[in-house]
Amino acid sequence: MRRREDFTLLIPGLLLVLTTLLLVTLEPRVSSLFQGQEPVVMKTGLLSDPFLQYPTSTSTRVVWFTEFEGQDHEVIYGQPGQSTQVLEAGNEGERRAIATTTQLSRTREDADSKVTQPEFQDLKQAVRRAIWRHEAVVTGLSPGVRVPYHVISQRDDGSVVKSRVFTLAAAPSPGQPLKILLTSDHQLMPMTPANLQKVQETVGQVDAVFLAGDLVNIPDRASEWFDHALGNAFFPSLQGRADYSLERNGTTTRYRGGELIQHAPLFPALGNHEVMGRYSSSASLNAQFGNPLPRSAALQTYEANVDLFNPSNDPGLRRQWIVNNSFNSDTYEEIFSLPVTSVLNPERPEETSRYYAVTFGDVRLVSLYVAQIWRTPDLSPTARGRYQEREQDLGTPQNWGYGHHIFESIAQGSLQYQWLQQELASEAFRRARYKVVMFHHPPHTLGDNIVPPFADPVPVYDRWPDGSLKAVRYEYPKPDDQIMRDLVPLLENAGVDLVFYGHSHLWNRFISPSGTHYLEASNVGNTYGAYWQDKARPVPSGDAGFTASYYTATGDPNGLEPVMPTLVSPPNDTETPQPFLASNEVTVFSIFDTGTGLISSYYFDTRQPSSAAVKFDEFPIGQP
């Protein structure tokens, strides 16, 4: 089967059209993305509370954001056992860590942004929004010992703003019992603040947050991270500073989210909503998000016009041009400080945090980059979707979407796969009590986003009798599914205890014959439904020229039966127990207790705002 890298080789007669039109519209490099455009600078307090990143046995990182560059950004932290009140009042025993400040390079707002600031009203095009990130490394810590801390930032006018006092700690030692939140697909969805508030109310302070992708909707839209006007932006919801009104049956309840990541490190995975498409100085942020191009297509256009785009043959300019004209996860990577992976690339050695591994107490967490662009399954002539190009675009391939193309290969032999092989063979992984692998795209689910298979799209060119192009369709051969063909066998053979993922916005779980547990806990803010028994996914048919056996309409396409909840049946629209929860009124969260090895799932019915969360499922993993 042809792979993604070969797509543009299949359209030799159309490449000249693609190249000519791209020359007019595409941008050359990141340093000129906002050329001539001064960023809008706001003069406010802290844009976020501090949050914790990448702890070690003696240190942790503290990160926060402002809308001013300022100076003298610091973390002030106390001594073990010291109360937050003592640190707040000031004490001779306080210690300080100086922050490093950087500016986010791609954060913007546009006409679709939901913001209250007058600077961002009535926008005609996307404008850059100036946001500064501050990070300090707090050292001299001991595992299992919490100390109080707060952050301070000095504005350009000399005035000082500071956060409230929170607590931090070094990475936990093996044997220390932990409570870890398993969550995903927040995306500013209606129930997310309620969900996170119930986490804090139910289990108290968690020790870490594992988040399996899709943190926001449009990653370059700053307000989705920090201050969306509806009160449910990403950071406020995870920091107990949300202010979101949820109406149920005529009653409106305001939810604040949970104060979680000020005290607990956040470990995310890349989802499709952390990836922006091709940069444009005129298109909306939504349009740019939905317009990625495979790297191979951008590379071929670049190489056909290298004398125009890069006459000096600058390798940095070459790389940046290809990134700007394909896709990027720059904002996500600039926001978070995660473990760094050395990429096994003999041509160009590099480091990345797009996939990584880390030991946290008894857990070895492996976070992978398993995501692809999402496109509609619609087969109408006006749809640029996962299975076809729009009829109106057949003669203008610069508008093609290339189907559900994969952002980073996990196929056997790929750089990510080679790194994963080394990780699974490492002593740190083999000796861990709990082996957890987290990524975004589901290997097993009753949800909709598992179809088509996670395979490189294979283009099919339908033609009229005269040879002219009638349609461009995409097939996804099921035997070429990278997750099931390559990744799952590797994980199960390595003895992975839990594979945790999201993407389809529901709760369901599975157990493989080898004993590996698969958990999707993404019915956090909303659902897109479960396709089980009589409910069928929208799939292409053989009558339309597709290979129908590649596309499974009901159940798990990869052959596992879902596990019924072990404790109680969550609310659903029928009177029959169901092996899933897919609801826009009932939200779910899962907690991993490393002291007992139990993963417990809870539901909260937002139609009953004064009710408590109910534990409905529980199962053990790992070594006894």
Side-chain angles (χ1 to χ4, degrees), residues 8 18 22 26 278 293-304 309 321-327 402:
T8 53
L18 170 63
L22 283 174
L26 299 181
R278 285 177 276 183
L293 189 71
R295 289 268 199 261
S296 56
L299 176 60
Q300 186 163 348
T301 299
Y302 171 86
E303 291 181 342
F309 292 143
W321 191 97
I322 294 169
V323 167
N324 291 344
N325 294 298
S326 55
F327 59 86
Y402 293 87

Side-chain angles (χ1 to χ4, degrees), residues 175-450:
Q176 180 179 335
L178 309 169
K179 292 181 179 179
I180 299 172
L181 171 62
L182 307 178
T183 185
S184 75
D185 296 85
H186 289 190
Q187 293 181 254
L188 288 82
M189 293 299 178
M191 295 191 295
T192 300
N195 178 289
L196 298 172
Q197 181 171 322
K198 285 299 175 179
V199 169
Q200 185 180 9
E201 292 177 0
T202 304
V203 301
Q205 182 175 292
V206 298
D207 296 290
V209 177
F210 294 176
L211 205 165
D214 281 9
L215 289 63
V216 295
N217 288 306
I218 310 298
D220 283 2
R221 181 174 288 132
S223 52
E224 293 199 11
W225 295 100
F226 302 109
D227 55 0
H228 193 276
L230 292 182
N232 59 341
F234 176 78
F235 282 110
S237 295
L238 275 165
Q239 296 185 320
R241 299 186 301 107
D243 185 15
Y244 186 75
S245 297
L246 188 64
E247 189 275 329
R248 292 288 187 260
N249 301 322
T251 299
T252 298
T253 305
R254 302 181 78 87
Y255 291 99
R256 67 179 184 277
E259 185 181 301
L260 304 176
I261 59 174
Q262 296 99 318
H263 305 270
L266 170 63
F267 297 99
L270 265 165
N272 55 295
H273 279 275
E274 280 68 69
V275 183
M276 284 294 290
R278 285 177 276 183
Y279 173 80
S280 169
S281 59
S282 57
S284 71
L285 293 176
N286 289 29
Q288 293 175 56
F289 167 77
N291 194 28
L293 189 71
R295 289 268 199 261
S296 56
L299 176 60
Q300 186 163 348
T301 299
Y302 171 86
E303 291 181 342
N305 301 275
V306 64
D307 290 341
L308 180 62
F309 292 143
N310 190 6
S312 63
N313 233 1
D314 180 347
L317 176 57
R318 175 185 182 275
R319 180 184 181 279
Q320 197 61 60
W321 191 97
I322 294 169
V323 167
N324 291 344
N325 294 298
S326 55
F327 59 86
N328 75 86
S329 53
D330 288 0
T331 295
Y332 167 90
E333 294 180 63
E334 290 174 1
I335 284 176
F336 297 107
S337 291
L338 301 170
V340 174
T341 293
S342 295
V343 178
L344 306 174
N345 187 349
E347 296 181 1
R348 182 171 56 86
E350 62 177 308
E351 295 182 330
T352 184
S353 292
R354 294 188 294 275
Y355 46 92
Y356 61 89
V358 65
T359 296
F360 192 76
D362 286 324
V363 180
R364 185 65 173 178
L365 172 67
V366 180
S367 179
L368 300 176
Y369 183 15
V370 183
Q372 60 189 171
I373 180 63
W374 185 94
R375 299 197 190 282
T376 178
D378 189 358
L379 290 172
S380 64
T382 58
R384 182 182 70 177
R386 61 187 70 170
Y387 301 114
Q388 66 175 33
E389 300 295 351
R390 289 185 299 194
E391 189 176 277
Q392 71 190 60
D393 292 338
L394 294 180
T396 54
Q398 77 274 12
N399 294 326
W400 290 6
Y402 293 87
H404 260 190
H405 59 85
I406 294 169
F407 292 129
E408 179 99 16
S409 177
I410 192 62
Q412 185 173 0
S414 67
L415 295 176
Q416 184 174 197
Y417 186 93
Q418 292 179 59
W419 169 82
L420 179 59
Q421 285 180 303
Q422 288 195 357
E423 163 58 28
L424 298 181
S426 70
E427 183 177 3
F429 180 86
R430 289 186 292 104
R431 294 184 61 182
R433 180 181 178 188
Y434 303 112
K435 303 172 178 67
V436 177
V437 176
M438 174 176 69
F439 50 85
H440 187 60
H441 195 93
H444 299 283
T445 185
L446 302 178
D448 59 340
N449 286 335
I450 197 171

Side-chain angles (χ1 to χ4, degrees), residues 109-124:
E109 304 290 359
D110 68 355
D112 296 318
S113 297
K114 300 297 187 293
V115 290
T116 58
Q117 298 94 321
E119 292 87 344
F120 300 118
Q121 304 302 313
D122 302 319
L123 295 176
K124 304 302 181 186

Side-chain angles (χ1 to χ4, degrees), residues 51 101 104 112 174 234 257 266 279 292 328 346-347 379 409 444 455 476 480 490 495 539-540 546 578 585:
F51 67 101
T101 295
L104 302 186
D112 296 318
F234 176 78
L266 170 63
Y279 173 80
N328 75 86
E347 296 181 1
L379 290 172
S409 177
H444 299 283
Y476 302 82
D480 293 345
L490 184 64
V539 296
F546 291 89
Q578 295 177 332
E585 296 175 320

Side-chain angles (χ1 to χ4, degrees), residues 40-44 66-68 117-120 129-130 132:
V40 177
V41 178
M42 307 289 290
K43 295 183 179 180
T44 60
T66 63
E67 290 187 281
F68 55 86
Q117 298 94 321
E119 292 87 344
F120 300 118
R129 182 172 175 187
W132 282 270

Side-chain angles (χ1 to χ4, degrees), residues 421-623:
Q421 285 180 303
Q422 288 195 357
E423 163 58 28
L424 298 181
S426 70
E427 183 177 3
F429 180 86
R430 289 186 292 104
R431 294 184 61 182
R433 180 181 178 188
Y434 303 112
K435 303 172 178 67
V436 177
V437 176
M438 174 176 69
F439 50 85
H440 187 60
H441 195 93
H444 299 283
T445 185
L446 302 178
D448 59 340
N449 286 335
I450 197 171
V451 175
F454 195 81
D456 289 322
V458 177
V460 178
Y461 301 100
D462 297 331
R463 298 189 180 277
W464 296 105
D466 66 359
S468 60
L469 198 58
K470 179 181 180 181
V472 177
R473 297 183 291 112
Y474 297 102
E475 290 266 39
Y476 302 82
K478 196 167 185 178
D480 293 345
D481 186 317
Q482 295 182 10
I483 295 175
M484 298 310 299
R485 182 192 66 192
D486 302 323
L487 178 58
V488 163
L490 184 64
L491 299 181
E492 294 195 0
N493 288 338
V496 169
D497 299 305
L498 174 69
V499 180
F500 171 57
Y501 48 93
H503 198 36
S504 286
H505 295 227
L506 79 162
W507 180 94
N508 53 185
R509 69 179 181 93
F510 305 82
I511 306 175
S512 74
S514 70
T516 301
H517 292 269
Y518 293 86
L519 174 65
E520 179 174 14
S522 57
N523 199 144
V524 174
N526 74 315
T527 190
Y528 296 129
Y531 296 87
W532 187 61
Q533 295 183 339
D534 297 333
K535 186 176 180 181
R537 300 179 182 93
V539 296
S541 68
D543 294 340
F546 291 89
T547 307
S549 62
Y550 294 163
Y551 313 105
T552 304
T554 60
D556 172 34
N558 295 319
L560 293 185
E561 289 297 321
V563 177
M564 283 286 185
T566 58
L567 302 178
V568 298
S569 179
N572 61 66
D573 295 333
T574 72
E575 296 181 358
T576 305
Q578 295 177 332
F580 61 88
L581 196 154
S583 174
N584 286 315
E585 296 175 320
V586 180
T587 183
V588 180
F589 60 88
S590 298
I591 301 294
F592 177 22
D593 185 334
T594 68
T596 62
L598 293 174
I599 296 178
S600 304
S601 294
Y602 299 76
Y603 74 78
F604 170 61
D605 192 336
T606 63
R607 296 167 297 187
Q608 303 175 31
S610 61
S611 65
V614 177
K615 185 191 298 186
F616 70 93
D617 182 73
E618 194 167 73
F619 65 95
I621 68 166
Q623 304 169 13

